[in-house]
Amino acid sequence: SSHLQSYGQRAQNFTNPAAKLLLETMERKKSNLAVSVDVTKTKDFLSIIDTVGPFVCLIKTHIDILEDFDPSLITQLKELSQKHNFLIFEDRKFADIGNTVALQYSRGVHRIADWAHITNAHAVPGPGIITGLSSVGLPLGRGLLLLAEMSTKGSLATGAYTDATLRMAENNRDFVVGFVAQQRMGGHHEDFLVLTPGVGLDSKGDGMGQQYRTPREVILDSACDVIIVGRGIYGGDTAESVRAQAQRYQDAGWSSYLERISL
Ligand code: BMP
């Protein structure tokens, strides 16, 4: 008998509209796959997103690595998000005082809060970073993830630091919807989303500290919610290989989820 709620059922556990929409989208598209599109040319960025769009619940961006960034790109990104029904997660990893991150989130050339349903922050400055970001994002219905752990070798985000990050999230449930982490962490009874990078089926690492686990290890063994895959998907050079990899990771993530909720 299943004691675990489905993604769709869990939408009701959140008041935050971005979290609700993500869970509803996952259920509807049968996808717990997020693709991280870490390329430097707008043309490649948009074409990868249009190719993987049907297979994903979420597109993760590093908007600051685009060398030909122009505000019209955001219009096109939003159009693709409508066309394929995915949310947008800007992986900005804010890490400064509240006043500064509020400016970085709302202003500058990127105006992240205008278009990213979800962004993320390091817990290192303490709760003021959430106060700053939520002053911008909460009125817009945005959601925040805290980095509780990292996928990299030698990460310092472990133990007491990870635990304190959990407490920060619990105290800010309206805006903090979950974590970037490597596992669902015990000890909290409230629902949080767990999004997990460092996912690859064909590689164990990249020689720069990245470590990969399979979708099954992440979703079934570690009870995470969303797999985040970058180079494993867009690394191929043809649109057909990108499409095939997106389908492969979607299937792997979803079958692991079905196995988990049937336990
Ligand atoms: P790839 O699958 O190509 O290794 O990309 C992983 C993506 O996830 C990168 O965009 C990276 O910035 C991000 N990421 C990560 O790899 N590990 C973390 O702990 C947190 C991240 O945001």
Side-chain angles (χ1 to χ4, degrees):
S1 67
S2 173
H3 60 285
L4 290 175
Q5 287 183 303
S6 69
Y7 290 134
Q9 288 167 330
R10 286 172 57 196
Q12 76 201 1
N13 301 342
F14 291 83
T15 55
N16 182 280
K20 279 183 185 294
L21 183 59
L22 180 60
L23 286 162
E24 288 161 4
T25 303
M26 293 166 74
E27 184 80 43
R28 185 157 20 92
K29 292 183 76 175
K30 299 195 189 310
S31 175
N32 53 15
L33 171 64
V35 174
S36 181
V37 191
D38 302 337
V39 296
T40 58
K41 299 275 194 291
T42 294
K43 185 171 162 289
D44 299 333
F45 179 78
L46 293 171
S47 103
I48 291 166
I49 294 172
D50 200 20
T51 302
V52 304
F55 308 101
V56 303
C57 57
L58 185 68
I59 288 288
K60 186 174 85 58
T61 58
H62 281 299
I63 204 69
D64 60 352
I65 68 178
L66 286 162
E67 44 195 34
D68 53 358
F69 175 84
D70 180 277
S72 68
L73 160 69
I74 298 302
T75 310
Q76 297 176 76
L77 176 59
K78 284 179 171 169
E79 280 167 11
L80 288 171
S81 146
Q82 297 287 325
K83 174 180 173 190
H84 295 296
N85 286 299
F86 58 74
L87 282 78
I88 305 166
F89 166 22
E90 164 58 23
D91 188 2
R92 176 61 180 76
K93 297 190 179 70
F94 292 103
D96 212 321
I97 65 166
N99 184 65
T100 299
V101 296
L103 293 168
Q104 291 172 321
Y105 188 25
S106 59
R107 310 294 182 88
V109 290
H110 295 128
R111 297 186 164 273
I112 293 163
D114 286 353
W115 50 270
H117 301 86
I118 294 170
T119 190
N120 58 355
H122 285 293
V124 70
I129 192 168
I130 302 175
T131 313
L133 292 170
S134 70
S135 74
V136 172
L138 199 56
L140 297 171
R142 305 312 189 194
L144 183 71
L145 303 169
L146 294 180
L147 283 120
E149 292 178 320
M150 292 195 73
S151 60
T152 38
K153 225 169 274 167
S155 165
L156 303 181
T158 61
Y161 180 88
T162 300
D163 291 344
T165 304
L166 248 69
R167 301 289 96 74
M168 273 175 60
E170 286 165 357
N171 293 331
N172 295 276
R173 284 280 309 170
D174 50 352
F175 189 51
V176 181
V177 298
F179 305 98
V180 173
Q182 294 297 305
Q183 60 192 306
R184 182 169 301 280
M185 293 149 294
H188 60 75
H189 306 289
E190 298 163 285
D191 199 354
F192 285 109
L193 299 170
V194 181
L195 283 70
T196 305
V199 177
L201 282 163
D202 304 318
S203 166
K204 287 283 142 218
D206 69 354
M208 295 173 76
Q210 179 66 295
Q211 307 178 107
Y212 293 117
R213 292 184 300 154
T214 65
R216 191 182 155 88
E217 288 172 299
V218 167
I219 299 292
L220 185 65
D221 302 343
S222 297
C224 302
D225 295 315
V226 174
I227 53 171
I228 300 174
V229 186
R231 287 164 286 180
I233 286 179
Y234 68 77
D237 43 6
T238 65
E240 196 34 59
S241 76
V242 175
R243 196 189 148 79
Q245 290 300 329
Q247 174 113 60
R248 178 180 178 222
Y249 280 92
Q250 180 194 1
D251 290 347
W254 195 257
S255 60
S256 301
Y257 159 71
L258 291 178
E259 204 175 325
R260 181 170 123 222
I261 59 166
S262 70
L263 288 177

